[in-house]
Amino acid sequence: MCGIAGIFGQSSDGLLEGQVNKMIMSLVHRGPDDSGIWINKDNTLALGHRRLTIIDLSKAGHQPMQSSCGTFVMSFNGEIYNHRELRRELNSQYTSIRWKGTSDTETILEGFSHWGINKTVEKMVGMFALAVWDNSKEKLYLTRDRIGEKPLYFGWSQGKFIFGSELKAIKNSPGFRQEIDRDSLCLFLRHCYVPSPRSIYKDIYKLQPGYILDLSLKDTLNAPKQGYLLENLNLRQYWSYKDKVEEGLGNLIKEEKESLKLLEETLRDSIELQSIADVPLGCFLSGGIDSSLIVSLMQTNSEVPIHSYSIGFKESDYDEAIYAKEIAKHLGTKHTELYVSANDALEVVPKLPQLYDEPFADSSQIPTHLVSKMARDHVKVALSGDAGDELFGGYNRHVKAPFLWQIMSSCPKNLRPSLSKIITLFPSSFLNQLGKVIPGSYKTSFLGHKLHRFAERLNSVNNEDDLYFSFISEWTNPEQVVLNSKEPKSFLHEKNLWPKMNSFQERMMFLDSMTYLPDDILVKVDRASMGVSLETRAPFLDHRVVELAARIPIEQKINNGKGKQILRKILYQYVPRELIERPKQGFGIPLGDWLRGPLKDWAEDMLNQDKLENEGFFSPSIVRKTWREHLKGKRNWEHKIWNLLMFQSWLDSQ
């Protein structure tokens, strides 16, 4: 795992090396073990690299690396899990290859030399973001893995094309203007992240998953100083999740027995490939279905106890570490756990702007960083259960939204405003306490928050897609909150880009996989882990697993009021059902209580009336009203407040 950066454009000052060195020095955390810079003979391109050694720890893995034929030079971030298989294929076809080392970087470069860039990328199984220069065509190529595990930003500054693994590198490019895009800020307030392909800065974009971008020197010269449209770029999609979903729906595996067999075999193969490393390796274990299944299959493949890591909270409503510990004991892993307090969170909060580089407000960023830091004390690579929810129907909305829509649609429209008002008359804190004392199976955690969200939806939801949009929206009026802004359309509005799906549940899962997964979950894990130089790998994101999941009928995923049914059936072969069957908690923190307690003074400072007026981004009256309601326990606005705080703290760090 590594960090990459570069500058491409006409240069007469001879300063490229120093400029790119400044960019890659900001990425030391992504690659503390080695660094390198390559500049072409015309002094128009500089490629930079920071290396975290995982495969081939020798100098033979040094980057940027040049192909043996001299045509290609590459700076690469990621892991290609099937690179040994690709080497065998290359050796069988081209007997003249003389390998210098055993790195996947060298394998890819030889693939480019013999198969071409497009064909090689299509053969690669792994996570990656890379920049490769073709000397023969005098073109720069950028590409990113199919799902979006590894990040890659690009744009223009002072007439030059710039790119990097994180915005840190972009910000350290020569003459970069840190002009905040207020329209992107609207999207951030709604979703807790800035959706691809936008970034928080004007004229800086994220390369979208599954795409290859290529450009020549002429392309950089023709770029205007600002407002460059993505449509003008030479972007090609080499893998489409939409296409795979449509193909899957047309080729469903109707026999569950066959689905179970194929899925377990494919997951085992993915885990086996992702367990290859020349450094110590472990696994995150939350106690949920996804990570428990990954750990189970890892442990059955290992002759010695694998290392597993979990994090817990002193507040019982959020703590799953007790279950993780029992699962680890049953499987026989070498387990380590860490319990997090509000003080631990306080210590992480000042680091978040530096870790995440642009505003990011998924509060589970805190425990993700802490568990990564704990794991890094023992291992250099950790496998995770990420993407199980999106692919197999694991979120509560996937299971409950159809029933919720039935209830809402049966309520006459003229009665909805009155019912909504009645529900919100009761403070969230009161309803939360009521939910805890209701007897039997009706006992509900966070009842107040759930009822208040239901009340909001009564006033705004007119169809299933509106309901889904409400699930993935925090601020529903961001244009009113962000001054002088207009919320842009996103992929969630482009229904012509969605596949034709048979059910509301499948539609939600597709949209989560296209948006929430790459722009929230994978960003969270990448920055939290790479911030401590830990490589994370996600077996569910092997594109062969993703494509197989698209062929599994929804009835095998969601049934009897529960999601991930097919994963449960595989898991129960290794872990007793009673250790798994419990309400889904997610990987959250007691944020609402912390904001009223140990984080209160910090939050008050960040949301101070004078500060808001001086900065000029947010409407002070709306922000202060929301903050007061949360403090009084009238409403639980924890996520709305956290959105504001994450932008404010990020802004202070600029």
Side-chain angles (χ1 to χ4, degrees):
M1 197 58 57
C2 310
I4 67 174
I7 301 174
F8 187 30
Q10 198 70 55
S11 180
S12 58
D13 51 24
L15 300 176
L16 274 182
E17 183 172 358
Q19 291 169 345
V20 169
N21 185 59
K22 186 178 179 183
M23 294 173 74
I24 63 170
M25 285 304 293
S26 69
L27 301 175
V28 169
H29 55 286
R30 296 189 74 91
D33 300 328
D34 190 19
S35 67
I37 295 172
W38 179 87
I39 299 175
N40 68 347
K41 57 182 175 58
D42 297 327
N43 200 47
T44 57
L45 171 68
L47 298 177
H49 189 265
R50 291 294 320 189
R51 185 182 182 204
L52 178 68
T53 53
I54 302 293
I55 301 290
D56 190 351
L57 310 187
S58 73
K59 292 182 179 179
H62 177 79
Q63 294 188 51
M65 186 183 291
Q66 191 162 12
S67 62
S68 59
C69 66
T71 302
F72 299 99
V73 182
M74 182 172 68
S75 186
F76 161 61
N77 167 30
E79 297 289 348
I80 306 305
Y81 305 124
N82 68 331
H83 87 96
R84 293 178 179 177
E85 179 186 327
L86 296 180
R87 279 202 179 202
R88 288 192 291 270
E89 187 177 348
L90 284 164
N91 285 331
S92 68
Q93 296 176 9
Y94 309 98
T95 56
S96 61
I97 299 176
R98 297 292 178 263
W99 302 99
K100 296 178 182 177
T102 59
S103 72
D104 51 357
T105 309
E106 187 181 8
T107 306
I108 299 168
L109 281 166
E110 291 304 317
F112 292 163
S113 298
H114 293 87
W115 296 325
I117 291 176
N118 291 342
K119 187 175 179 181
T120 302
V121 168
E122 289 169 2
K123 286 175 176 282
M124 287 158 49
V125 176
M127 54 180 180
F128 53 88
L130 62 85
V132 59
W133 172 249
D134 184 333
N135 274 309
S136 62
K137 296 180 180 178
E138 295 191 328
K139 277 192 172 184
L140 175 68
Y141 295 81
L142 302 182
T143 189
R144 194 172 173 210
D145 62 67
R146 296 166 178 84
I147 314 296
E149 286 187 77
K150 293 295 102 185
L152 189 54
Y153 291 84
F154 69 88
W156 280 264
S157 178
Q158 293 192 333
K160 293 186 177 67
F161 181 80
I162 53 177
F163 62 89
S165 294
E166 297 181 18
L167 280 176
K168 293 178 185 65
I170 300 290
K171 286 161 60 177
N172 279 281
S173 63
F176 177 66
R177 295 179 304 110
Q178 296 187 35
E179 187 175 352
I180 292 171
D181 188 334
R182 289 174 183 259
D183 297 347
S184 291
L185 181 54
C186 273
L187 289 171
F188 165 71
L189 282 197
R190 181 177 291 281
H191 299 299
C192 306
Y193 58 82
V194 180
S196 298
R198 305 180 74 98
S199 83
I200 193 62
Y201 293 124
K202 289 186 176 179
D203 306 322
I204 301 298
Y205 304 97
K206 304 178 182 91
L207 183 62
Q208 291 179 280
Y211 275 83
I212 297 175
L213 180 156
D214 71 76
L215 67 166
S216 64
L217 184 60
K218 181 181 177 182
D219 295 322
T220 69
L221 295 173
N222 291 338
K225 290 183 179 178
Q226 62 180 11
Y228 196 79
L229 297 177
L230 288 179
E231 288 80 3
N232 296 339
L233 289 171
N234 189 15
L235 279 163
R236 183 183 74 82
Q237 191 172 17
Y238 69 87
W239 188 88
S240 164
Y241 184 54
K242 171 182 178 287
D243 290 348
K244 298 304 176 184
V245 168
E246 288 180 332
E247 290 170 15
L249 290 172
N251 188 27
L252 291 173
I253 307 170
K254 296 181 180 178
E255 292 294 328
E256 186 179 72
K257 188 175 180 181
E258 183 184 357
S259 298
L260 287 164
K261 180 176 180 293
L262 284 173
L263 181 56
E264 182 168 358
E265 287 175 353
T266 310
L267 270 175
R268 278 190 178 278
D269 184 52
S270 174
I271 291 167
E272 185 177 351
L273 283 178
Q274 295 194 23
S275 296
I276 296 171
D278 296 331
V279 295
L281 176 142
C283 189
F284 295 145
L285 177 60
S286 69
I289 293 166
D290 307 327
S291 64
S292 298
L293 180 54
I294 299 301
V295 172
S296 297
L297 296 178
M298 277 183 76
Q299 188 58 73
T300 58
N301 285 343
S302 176
E303 295 178 356
V304 297
I306 64 170
H307 292 265
S308 60
Y309 303 93
S310 66
I311 198 159
F313 301 95
K314 294 173 182 176
E315 294 85 352
S316 59
D317 282 342
Y318 294 85
D319 184 37
E320 285 194 305
I322 51 173
Y323 307 112
K325 186 175 183 179
E326 288 299 312
I327 292 166
K329 183 179 178 182
H330 176 80
L331 294 172
T333 70
K334 187 174 181 180
H335 191 61
T336 306
E337 60 184 3
L338 172 71
Y339 271 81
V340 177
S341 67
N343 287 333
D344 296 320
L346 276 169
E347 291 177 7
V348 174
V349 167
K351 303 174 185 176
L352 294 176
Q354 180 69 9
L355 275 173
Y356 284 89
D357 246 5
E358 70 178 334
F360 184 79
D362 182 336
S363 60
S364 62
Q365 62 200 137
I366 292 175
T368 304
H369 174 67
L370 289 170
V371 75
S372 297
K373 184 179 179 183
M374 174 179 62
R376 187 60 178 87
D377 290 338
H378 307 90
V379 298
K380 210 170 183 179
V381 178
L383 273 63
S384 79
D386 291 311
D389 286 315
E390 290 80 5
L391 297 177
F392 297 97
Y395 292 128
N396 285 332
R397 58 177 169 262
H398 299 157
V399 179
K400 297 178 180 178
F403 176 67
L404 182 60
W405 171 240
Q406 283 184 351
I407 295 174
M408 296 179 73
S409 59
S410 65
C411 180
K413 285 190 176 181
N414 61 330
L415 294 181
R416 292 184 191 182
S418 299
L419 180 57
S420 174
K421 190 173 182 180
I422 291 169
I423 293 172
T424 53
L425 284 174
F426 297 94
S428 176
S429 53
F430 168 77
L431 292 172
N432 283 342
Q433 290 302 316
L434 183 64
K436 291 180 180 180
V437 299
I438 295 174
S441 60
Y442 294 101
K443 184 178 292 187
T444 305
S445 296
F446 315 115
L447 177 64
H449 181 59
K450 292 171 182 175
L451 285 176
H452 281 189
R453 289 302 297 264
F454 176 74
E456 287 179 44
R457 292 179 177 122
L458 278 174
N459 288 322
S460 60
V461 169
N462 296 308
N463 53 53
E464 289 177 337
D465 292 333
D466 283 351
L467 180 57
Y468 171 76
F469 202 60
S470 76
F471 284 125
I472 47 88
S473 299
E474 283 306 329
W475 287 91
T476 56
N477 59 336
E479 287 183 2
Q480 296 174 32
V481 184
V482 181
L483 302 175
N484 305 312
S485 67
K486 182 172 178 58
E487 184 179 6
K489 299 293 184 183
S490 70
F491 180 82
L492 293 164
H493 300 94
E494 303 289 345
K495 294 188 179 183
N496 60 306
L497 300 179
W498 304 356
K500 294 179 180 178
M501 289 167 283
N502 300 324
S503 72
F504 179 30
Q505 291 167 315
E506 289 169 318
R507 199 154 66 246
M508 287 189 287
M509 290 162 61
F510 169 78
L511 293 172
D512 282 341
S513 298
M514 289 293 293
T515 58
Y516 183 66
L517 176 62
D519 288 334
D520 185 303
I521 299 297
L522 299 183
V523 169
K524 174 186 70 179
V525 175
D526 176 81
R527 306 304 193 278
S529 58
M530 291 310 297
V532 294
S533 304
L534 175 75
E535 175 175 306
T536 52
R537 301 174 177 179
F540 283 115
L541 287 176
D542 183 314
H543 71 274
R544 298 167 303 171
V545 175
V546 173
E547 291 171 7
L548 175 60
R551 295 182 57 209
I552 297 174
I554 191 69
E555 296 79 16
Q556 296 177 26
K557 298 174 182 177
I558 302 174
N559 212 334
N560 297 321
K562 290 181 180 178
K564 295 191 282 199
Q565 288 285 24
I566 192 165
L567 297 186
R568 293 173 194 266
K569 290 179 180 180
I570 298 173
L571 178 59
Y572 295 153
Q573 299 174 56
Y574 305 97
V575 175
R577 181 186 296 259
E578 57 269 20
L579 291 182
I580 300 297
E581 289 294 343
R582 60 184 186 278
K584 182 179 177 65
Q585 288 179 264
F587 197 38
I589 61 174
L591 186 59
D593 293 337
W594 288 358
L595 287 172
R596 295 186 188 98
L599 295 176
K600 179 182 174 182
D601 291 343
W602 166 74
E604 180 61 48
D605 249 6
M606 287 291 176
L607 304 179
N608 176 275
Q609 176 95 14
D610 292 339
K611 180 179 174 66
L612 293 170
E613 288 176 355
N614 291 335
E615 291 165 345
F617 285 102
F618 296 139
S619 163
S621 60
I622 294 175
V623 170
R624 294 299 301 175
K625 178 177 181 290
T626 306
W627 177 227
R628 285 194 300 270
E629 288 179 351
H630 181 79
L631 286 178
K632 292 176 181 177
K634 183 179 179 182
R635 300 294 298 268
N636 182 5
W637 296 132
E638 58 183 4
H639 298 301
K640 285 187 175 183
I641 298 297
W642 193 246
N643 272 16
L644 299 170
L645 292 171
M646 286 298 95
F647 176 77
Q648 291 293 91
S649 58
W650 174 84
L651 187 64
D652 281 355
S653 72
Q654 300 307 293

